[in-house]
Amino acid sequence: MVPWLGPDDPFPPVEHALGITSGAPGLLAASSDLLPWRLVDAYRRGIFPWYSDGQPVLWWSPDPRMILKPDEFKVSPSFRKTLKRVLRDERWEIRVDADFPGVMRACAQAPRRGQRGTWITAEIIDAYSVLHRAGEAHSVETWFEGKRAGGLYGVSLGRMFFGESMFADVTDASKIALAGLIGHLRHHEVEMIDCQQNTSHLASLGGREIARKAFITHIRTATVQAPVPWQFDKQALLDVLPNGLPSEQAR
């Protein structure tokens, strides 16, 4: 039986989440509220919300957990050429927190294979916008010719980034934003990005699953470290290119 959380009830231990043989592996608890303080507490415990309109707030902690280590980010030869082109072309920009609510709304509208509707509800946008104003949630945005072309958002606590969602209106725009984020996090020695659940797209970029116990052990330390600064631009891409931008041959 999944416990129902009242406004002041703590989360149960993550080990109490439903197992792999259940119909909802990783489901830990449910509540009627999505209070910002509970959101932050959830992330620090390895828990995240995921639900649809008309459902209660459902809280999850799957085992295993999908993560992406910045040092393991895979850049294919074709994408490497794209990043080098972005670095050279003034029409391309990477902006941080230029339009956080707009990124969330764009993620909500992005089509997802095998999904109908969205879990990024108005309630979700409101709650994460509160975290954004507190400096605990951020968007990384790819802009082309002065228009937002793609991006991502997530929660940043200490030296840990919890990725939430991505969107692209232009080919590779979300991957460019992710590469910028990866470069920035590498520079600040962030060891892990939480990707929550396994997808083939994340796996193609270097994501992999680890045991929930190992994930929880890591975030207990990482989330209490000094926070990452959140000012960077597309020069962060240099940190994901093996040889930087050495010559005209990189065009």
Side-chain angles (χ1 to χ4, degrees):
M1 186 73 175
V2 174
W4 181 268
L5 304 181
D8 299 317
D9 292 335
F11 286 108
V14 294
E15 294 79 11
H16 292 187
L18 297 182
I20 194 71
T21 59
S22 73
L27 181 59
L28 178 68
S31 68
S32 62
D33 64 77
L34 190 66
L35 300 172
W37 69 264
R38 197 194 287 278
L39 259 181
V40 174
D41 183 51
Y43 282 106
R44 292 188 184 278
R45 296 174 183 273
I47 302 164
F48 61 88
W50 185 37
Y51 63 103
S52 300
D53 265 332
Q55 292 182 324
V57 180
L58 302 177
W59 300 94
W60 303 77
S61 185
D63 187 16
R65 188 76 163 230
M66 190 71 169
I67 60 101
L68 174 59
K69 292 193 172 186
D71 287 344
E72 297 176 358
F73 182 58
K74 293 180 180 178
V75 180
S76 68
S78 61
F79 188 49
R80 186 177 300 119
K81 291 180 180 178
T82 296
L83 295 181
K84 289 179 178 179
R85 187 170 62 250
V86 167
L87 277 163
R88 291 182 180 278
D89 191 336
E90 294 182 355
R91 294 176 299 174
W92 286 98
E93 301 174 75
I94 290 179
R95 303 180 187 179
V96 178
D97 292 336
D99 186 7
F100 181 85
V103 169
M104 288 200 69
R105 289 191 293 270
C107 287
Q109 295 165 5
R112 311 288 177 188
R113 183 177 297 178
Q115 294 185 23
R116 301 175 66 181
T118 180
W119 61 272
I120 305 175
T121 63
E123 183 181 34
I124 286 277
I125 293 173
D126 288 345
Y128 282 82
S129 293
V130 172
L131 267 59
H132 171 64
R133 291 191 291 270
E136 294 172 326
H138 300 277
S139 60
V140 181
E141 307 153 20
T142 304
W143 290 67
F144 182 68
E145 295 184 333
K147 297 181 180 180
R148 192 183 60 231
L152 60 87
Y153 77 95
V155 174
S156 179
L157 299 174
R159 284 299 199 266
M160 185 70 199
F161 188 79
F162 301 85
E164 280 296 321
S165 190
M166 306 168 66
F167 83 98
D169 292 332
V170 175
T171 301
D172 284 338
S174 60
K175 285 175 63 178
I176 293 167
L178 177 60
L181 172 66
I182 292 285
H184 181 66
L185 296 182
R186 276 188 183 181
H187 183 74
H188 291 282
E189 300 181 339
V190 173
E191 297 179 10
M192 186 183 296
I193 298 172
D194 176 31
C195 301
Q196 299 180 352
Q197 300 189 65
N198 194 342
T199 68
S200 58
H201 177 63
L202 289 170
S204 72
L205 298 174
R208 59 186 173 89
E209 292 181 328
I210 63 172
R212 181 174 57 206
K213 184 176 181 180
F215 176 75
I216 298 296
T217 298
H218 176 77
I219 65 172
R220 282 175 178 166
T221 300
T223 56
V224 297
Q225 293 178 356
V228 173
W230 281 92
Q231 301 84 32
F232 65 93
D233 58 25
K234 69 179 182 180
Q235 296 304 309
L237 297 174
L238 290 169
D239 283 293
V240 302
L241 292 170
N243 301 309
L245 200 61
S247 70
E248 290 298 311
Q249 294 178 351
R251 288 185 184 271

